[in-house]
Each structure stands twice: as C-alpha cells, then as structure tokens.
Amino acid sequence: MAAKAIVFVHGMYMTPACREKWRAYFAPLGYQCVAPAWPGRDRPVAVLRKEHPDSALGRLTLRAVLDHFEGEIRALREKPIVIGHSMGGLIAQLLLQRDLASAAVAIDSAPPQGIITTKWSFVRANWPHINPLALKARPIQLSFERFQYAFVNGLAPDQQRTAFDAYVVPEWRRVPMESLTKVGHIDFARPHAPLLLIAGSADHIIPAALNRTMYRRYRRGASIKDFKEFPGRTHFIIGQEGWEEVAGHAASWLEQRVQ
C-alpha cells in the first residue's frame, strides 16, 4: 500500500503557497499533505518582499535547507513521499539519496553537481545565480520581466502577472551555488526508492534536456525510475493552466510504483 504522507518541497523564488492547489488535489486521495517552508519562508509573500534585502536570506545554504527538511521528515510517523519542484526537485532527490523518502517526484528539477547545459535560455535565466562575480550574500529581487522569461514564458500576460503577484519572493545565491558542489552530488548508481522525473518542454530556466540527462544517468542503476515530459509546459508547470494533468500523472505513478 502506498505511503499516506506527502511532503511538498517548493523551489526558489517561491513559498509553500505555490503548492496549495496540489495539497488540495492529493488530500482527497487519502494523503496527509505537508508543505514545510524553507527556513525563513514561513511568512506571507507580501512580508518577505517588504523585508528585501534581508541579510539572513543571504546566509542560507543548500545544506541547511536539506537538514531542515530532514528534521521535518523525521518528525513524521512514516517515511513520506517527497514531491519537489525546481530546486525543490533536486532537494527531493537528495532526500531520497539520504533514504528519507518512500518515493520521490522531481518536477523541472534543478541539476545536481556535474550536470549542466550551455543552452542560451538556461544561461540567460540563471545568470544572476551562476555569474561568478556576483556576491553570494546579496539577495535577489526577481523582476516581473525576468519572471516572464524564466518561469511563465508563453502564458497570457494576465496569468503571468497573477502568478508573480501571488507567489514570487526574493531569493539568495548561496543555495544554487552550493548545488554545484559536493552538497548537490547524486550517486546515480546507488539503490534508491522509486523516482519520477517530470519536465516541461517549454521550460527556459531548467530545459527539459537537463532532466532527460538526469534520467539517463539514473538508468545505470537497477532502482525504479521513470521520466515524463509534458509538451508546452513552462517552469511554472505546477501552476499554469493544465497543472491537474501533471498532478494526475504523478498520482497515477505513485499508485503503480509505490508499495
């Protein structure tokens, strides 16, 4: 029988508010849905924007986020399913590697150490984070124009503005920079619980090719792993029109793959 607890992990520039629809989708299916905030993200979007630049934000590391979610998981009565988006997708895989999840779904996952692309959309969308001259401790305020390109390209302008106003908060640089180090390393051959990788074909900030590369690396091992690419979906795949199809695919996969 499938595990009945799901831990949702949001990604960068977001808070748990971006997973409210997913929690409402999975709860009637019998799951206990938990969506912890990253450290410092347990406040309303408007408050986090008002506090920019927050010096504490600039000090947070990927290791600290991972340890925070490990604590949240160990407080549960059972080993949960972990569903993560973007940097949360990489966190989901790293938690799976720590043997803390009964299964994981990584959606538009940020790449681990050693996997990168020179595709222009990736470089353009991620430049504020990968720029070697950028100050690690300086938080970033995401402009609406950059959000349009990196997250919601192709969506109607009113949908882009609604998503920006509802979810987007300032971000730090240390987390993505640390994902390029051993903290973000994945041993693809190591046995693990079932894993589903999901990608959007129109994603600018995390091109689908990056997720296909991750999937191919996992294929070296014998553990259960699957890949699904949704045509026309952007990096806002979890909230753009048709998100229910993505959630439904994840739900069906969990029913089939998780004992």
Side-chain angles (χ1 to χ4, degrees), residues 14-65:
M14 298 282 166
T15 74
C18 69
R19 304 316 294 267
E20 289 174 351
K21 293 178 181 179
W22 282 63
R23 293 175 69 179
Y25 184 95
F26 278 92
L29 301 180
Y31 293 101
Q32 173 196 354
C33 297
V34 183
W38 288 24
R41 290 299 175 87
D42 53 351
R43 288 167 289 172
V45 168
V47 173
L48 292 170
R49 287 178 174 175
K50 186 177 181 179
E51 293 179 349
H52 178 74
D54 180 0
S55 60
L57 190 67
R59 294 192 294 269
L60 191 66
T61 64
L62 177 58
R63 187 184 298 277
V65 178

Side-chain angles (χ1 to χ4, degrees), residues 40-257:
R41 290 299 175 87
D42 53 351
R43 288 167 289 172
V45 168
V47 173
L48 292 170
R49 287 178 174 175
K50 186 177 181 179
E51 293 179 349
H52 178 74
D54 180 0
S55 60
L57 190 67
R59 294 192 294 269
L60 191 66
T61 64
L62 177 58
R63 187 184 298 277
V65 178
L66 285 166
D67 291 345
H68 173 75
F69 274 91
E70 178 168 345
E72 294 282 348
I73 287 173
R74 291 194 183 281
L76 300 174
R77 293 188 300 175
E78 60 184 355
K79 191 182 293 187
I81 296 161
V82 178
I83 300 180
H85 170 248
S86 193
M87 186 60 71
L90 176 57
I91 291 169
Q93 294 177 73
L94 293 169
L95 292 171
L96 193 72
Q97 184 169 251
R98 291 188 181 189
D99 195 28
L100 292 168
S102 62
V105 179
I107 305 168
D108 288 349
S109 175
Q113 181 191 36
I115 294 182
I116 198 166
T117 179
T118 56
K119 187 173 181 179
W120 170 240
S121 71
F122 175 83
V123 175
R124 176 180 171 184
N126 285 282
W127 184 247
H129 299 290
I130 63 178
N131 180 357
L133 301 179
L135 296 177
K136 291 183 180 180
R138 179 178 295 171
I140 304 169
Q141 179 81 311
L142 182 67
S143 69
F144 177 58
E145 290 72 23
R146 194 159 75 84
F147 178 73
Q148 286 180 296
Y149 180 80
F151 278 74
V152 290
N153 49 292
L155 273 64
D158 61 328
Q159 295 174 341
Q160 294 176 335
R161 175 56 70 174
T162 297
F164 181 82
D165 292 343
Y167 302 122
V168 175
V169 296
E171 193 51 82
W172 44 76
R173 288 184 168 92
R174 292 187 188 275
V175 170
M177 287 182 172
E178 198 172 44
S179 71
L180 305 176
T181 72
K182 62 181 180 180
V183 178
H185 176 74
I186 290 178
D187 181 355
F188 292 102
R190 181 177 179 176
H192 57 80
L195 170 66
L196 171 63
L197 293 166
I198 292 177
S201 69
D203 192 334
H204 276 173
I205 196 167
I206 304 292
L210 277 175
N211 284 266
R212 286 196 296 270
T213 297
M214 280 184 267
Y215 175 63
R216 287 194 294 269
R217 296 283 184 91
Y218 274 113
R219 290 181 66 184
R220 300 173 184 173
S223 300
I224 293 173
K225 59 274 179 184
D226 293 290
F227 175 79
K228 173 67 175 179
E229 182 175 334
F230 284 87
R233 305 305 170 92
T234 70
H235 196 61
F236 195 53
I237 189 172
I238 61 170
Q240 75 179 98
E241 186 176 356
W243 67 267
E244 299 93 338
E245 181 185 3
V246 184
H249 181 81
S252 297
W253 180 85
L254 288 170
E255 284 294 321
Q256 298 168 10
R257 291 298 207 179

